[in-house]
């Protein structure tokens, strides 16, 4: 369950065109899941920073959370991809 929620939020948050979808998805997630799965909230914070284009805070949000072993590889892959895209934006 957590992986599905995680991937859904991550996909929506990374799609700037679809920011309303990300907000709708966040609102549709039961509070019990948000409270019991800190990874879900951590991903949402990253998505918020991406939407605001606050790239320094994206990095802080990714590095500032102690990801579970199950999600570390996914977070590392995403982190590399997003920072490569940010690099291309500025250079």
């Amino acid at each position: 369950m957590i992986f599905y929620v995680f991937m859904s939020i991550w996909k929506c948050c990374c799609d700037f065109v679809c920011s309303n979808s990300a907000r709708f998805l966040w609102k549709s997630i039961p509070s019990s899941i948000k409270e019991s799965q800190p990874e879900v909230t951590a991903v949402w914070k990253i998505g918020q920073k991406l939407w605001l284009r606050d790239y320094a805070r994206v990095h802080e949000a990714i590095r500032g959370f102690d990801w579970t072993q199950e999600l570390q590889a996914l977070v590392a892959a995403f982190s590399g991809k997003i920072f490569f895209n940010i690099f291309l934006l500025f250079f």
Side-chain angles (χ1 to χ4, degrees):
M1 172 70 170
I2 181 63
F3 185 75
Y4 173 74
V5 172
F6 182 87
M7 288 302 297
S8 298
I9 293 174
W10 206 277
K11 188 230 177 276
C12 288
C13 290
C14 296
D15 185 359
F16 296 119
V17 176
C18 197
S19 60
N20 286 330
S21 294
R23 283 192 297 263
F24 176 75
L25 177 63
W26 180 252
K27 290 178 181 183
S28 70
I29 297 171
S31 295
S32 61
I33 292 177
K34 293 177 190 176
E35 293 167 5
S36 66
Q37 303 292 332
E39 291 90 355
V40 173
T41 303
V43 170
W44 180 243
K45 289 177 183 177
I46 293 166
Q48 290 172 318
K49 303 304 181 213
L50 285 169
W51 187 70
L52 294 172
R53 292 176 167 59
D54 187 352
Y55 302 121
R57 299 281 187 254
V58 170
H59 181 71
E60 287 176 10
I62 290 172
R63 301 283 182 232
F65 186 79
D66 187 22
W67 300 98
T68 61
Q69 188 172 2
E70 300 141 332
L71 296 177
Q72 285 176 357
L74 182 64
V75 172
F78 172 80
S79 180
K81 180 177 172 42
I82 195 67
F83 289 111
F84 179 74
N85 290 343
I86 292 168
F87 178 78
L88 291 178
L89 258 171
F90 293 104
F91 297 102

